[in-house]
Amino acid sequence: MDRARPVVFRGLALAALVMVLLAGCRESEQDRVLLYKKGTYLGAKDQSLSEEALTEIRERGRLQSFDL
């Protein structure tokens, strides 16, 4: 019985280690930037805005400016 106890503890420790290592495999953590370059955006490309959206943004900016 005394010999079985360390084997059980080793098995539990190994199972806990495997669980901790698998926690780092979450899908949300895949394909993220790990190496950074100063002054350079390395993330995903932005979507292009439609011409209608750009016109609306420009109009709002014009209305907020002081040189009407």
Side-chain angles (χ1 to χ4, degrees), residues 11-41:
L12 289 174
L14 180 62
L17 178 65
V18 168
M19 295 292 283
V20 168
L21 291 176
L22 286 177
C25 296
R26 287 180 282 185
E27 189 173 334
S28 63
E29 295 187 5
Q30 301 300 316
D31 300 326
R32 63 188 173 112
V33 178
L34 297 176
L35 300 174
Y36 298 95
K37 295 179 185 174
K38 187 175 181 179
T40 305
Y41 178 70

Side-chain angles (χ1 to χ4, degrees), residues 1-18:
M1 182 106 186
D2 290 331
R3 291 186 138 201
R5 212 174 255 174
V7 172
V8 170
F9 286 129
R10 280 190 210 143
L12 289 174
L14 180 62
L17 178 65
V18 168

